[in-house]
Amino acid sequence: MNLGLEDGRCFPPVLANVNGALAGVDGVIAATAFVQLMRMHLRNPIIGWTRQKVFHLMIGFSNFGCLTYFVVTPFATCNKSMCWSHACGFILMACPKILLPAAFLLLLSFWVDQCHQTNDDDEEDEDSDLEEALLDNIKTATRSPILDNHRNCCPLLAIQAGSRQKIAVLVIFLVVLIMVAFSMLIWIGMGKNPIDSSVVARVYIDFFAILILILAGALAFYGSKLFFKISKVRYDKASTEMWKVAGLAVVSVVCFTASGLIALTTDIPLMYQWHPKIVDGLSTPLLIVIYYFIGSSVPSAFALWAMSEMPPSVAVTNQLQSRTVAYFADTLTETSRIQYWTTATTSQNQTTGWNHTG
């Protein structure tokens, strides 16, 4: 099992310590996401799956995947696993890195909705759509048993997404398909053929890094646009919502940009392919910390904080829905529109779920 390090160890101690620390951080974030998700469900199971719950689920699985990757890497490296240094390591590295940007891509789709809400011809019936969504939630208790059983068995199938959310889901699905295709090429490259697995992995990393940088630019643009839109609105939570938008935009832009640039200019994402001898002093562990901690853990933790508000309890849900419907029935003011800026952090947003857009 010895890979030939001078001290006789099969994995550099400094790298093992970094992996352990990152695994601990990701474990805490994943546990926090899943605990908050369970608390939301237990507090009010009637509202079903909202965007807030979906974000917690994606962030939780993303960090759990990173935790698994950091724990498995030393053992697989010391065992000289051929599968690990090719397709297996690539899949375990790539999957968690897809989930977090996917969550922020869905967030971006909601921000785009808010920024274009008053200008889109496709959303002229927004008022009626929102009212119908709220009325549907009020009628939850009177739904047919067959429909309830179907939603209980397959709760995610009950989610209704707007047109931009569907586009975001399609993009995520295409990225996953591309990752699977690259995994197959890397697996084929293990045999005697012209395919070089390391080159294939490098092409995927560059492709994904470019997507991350594009996402960071889009979050910066629409985050600032929504920030100024909220700043023009007068209502009691405007300041809080405005700085949450600004915080999410700044954190995601800084973290994703750092992650994307490191991926483009170094081999840090391909750590599963490394021979431990190539670890260069402290610069490699530092880049690993920036790529994974700054690039993934920090935006995950900040997003969980921004989405931490619990939904209304079952006892008050009907009253909140009743007041919200009456409010929307008369007019959907700019103030009420802005309250839907992100991931259901207000009680009104909790009741609409994914029915925010038409």
Side-chain angles (χ1 to χ4, degrees):
M1 292 176 61
N2 192 330
L3 292 181
L5 295 182
E6 294 179 357
D7 58 2
R9 299 182 183 183
C10 66
F11 203 78
V14 62
L15 202 57
N17 292 334
V18 170
N19 277 21
L22 292 173
V25 172
D26 288 323
V28 171
I29 295 175
T32 301
F34 290 134
V35 168
Q36 287 189 183
L37 177 61
M38 184 60 64
R39 288 180 60 203
M40 292 172 193
H41 179 72
L42 294 177
R43 183 173 175 84
N44 192 340
I46 295 177
I47 61 177
W49 281 91
T50 63
R51 66 192 66 161
Q52 185 184 20
K53 291 183 180 179
V54 172
F55 287 152
H56 277 76
L57 187 68
M58 297 176 74
I59 290 173
F61 276 115
S62 174
N63 284 271
F64 180 77
C66 289
L67 164 65
T68 305
Y69 177 71
F70 290 127
V71 171
V72 173
T73 295
F75 296 100
T77 301
C78 290
N79 285 321
K80 303 180 182 179
S81 171
M82 281 293 294
C83 178
W84 175 257
S85 62
H86 291 80
C88 297
F90 174 80
I91 292 172
L92 199 55
M93 175 276 298
C95 288
K97 297 299 289 184
I98 289 176
L99 286 173
L100 182 62
F104 277 84
L105 180 60
L106 289 174
L107 175 63
L108 174 64
S109 70
F110 296 125
W111 285 5
V112 175
D113 283 339
Q114 296 304 318
C115 292
H116 296 284
Q117 197 166 37
T118 58
N119 298 324
D120 265 348
D121 294 333
D122 294 336
E123 295 181 2
E124 290 178 354
D125 296 328
E126 182 80 17
D127 296 9
S128 60
D129 289 342
L130 286 169
E131 184 175 351
E132 288 174 5
L134 294 170
L135 290 174
D136 286 342
N137 283 325
I138 292 176
K139 295 176 182 177
T140 298
T142 62
R143 286 192 306 229
S144 67
I146 296 177
L147 180 59
D148 286 339
N149 290 335
H150 174 72
R151 293 193 174 190
N152 289 334
C153 293
C154 304
L156 288 176
L157 296 179
I159 296 176
Q160 298 182 16
S163 59
R164 291 189 178 93
Q165 284 78 63
K166 292 176 181 177
I167 294 174
V169 172
L170 178 61
V171 171
I172 296 167
F173 180 71
L174 290 176
V175 172
V176 172
L177 285 182
I178 292 172
M179 186 271 289
V180 172
F182 273 83
S183 300
M184 295 177 64
L185 289 175
I186 292 173
W187 181 270
I188 296 172
M190 293 175 62
K192 295 181 179 179
N193 53 66
I195 299 177
D196 188 335
S197 296
S198 61
V199 173
V200 174
R202 181 72 256 177
V203 171
Y204 173 83
I205 293 298
D206 291 343
F207 163 75
F208 192 75
I210 292 171
L211 292 183
I212 292 295
L213 292 175
I214 293 174
L215 176 62
L219 287 167
F221 176 77
Y222 282 102
S224 60
K225 190 172 182 179
L226 187 57
F227 175 85
F228 289 113
K229 184 174 181 180
I230 298 176
S231 66
K232 299 176 182 178
V233 178
R234 295 182 180 179
Y235 72 105
D236 53 349
K237 290 188 176 182
S239 178
T240 301
E241 305 295 331
M242 182 173 63
W243 289 111
K244 280 186 177 181
V245 171
L248 276 170
V250 171
V251 168
S252 59
V253 168
V254 172
C255 295
F256 289 159
T257 300
S259 174
L261 291 177
I262 288 177
L264 284 173
T265 57
T266 71
D267 288 329
I268 295 298
L270 302 176
M271 181 172 63
Y272 65 92
Q273 293 182 342
W274 291 356
H275 190 292
K277 280 187 174 180
I278 70 172
V279 177
D280 182 20
L282 294 178
S283 61
T284 297
L286 179 61
L287 289 174
I288 292 175
V289 170
I290 296 175
Y291 181 73
Y292 285 103
F293 179 74
I294 302 298
S296 297
S297 301
V298 171
S300 295
F302 192 88
L304 289 180
W305 169 78
M307 307 171 195
S308 61
E309 185 174 339
M310 290 291 107
S313 62
V314 177
V316 300
T317 297
N318 289 337
Q319 296 178 1
L320 287 171
Q321 288 175 331
S322 178
R323 287 198 297 268
T324 305
V325 171
Y327 184 68
F328 281 108
D330 294 333
T331 178
L332 185 65
T333 64
E334 187 70 14
T335 298
S336 62
R337 286 193 179 104
I338 297 300
Q339 294 182 19
Y340 286 83
W341 67 271
T342 183
T343 58
T345 55
T346 62
S347 60
Q348 293 95 332
N349 211 354
Q350 289 286 348
T351 61
T352 63
W354 284 60
N355 277 315
H356 163 191
T357 56

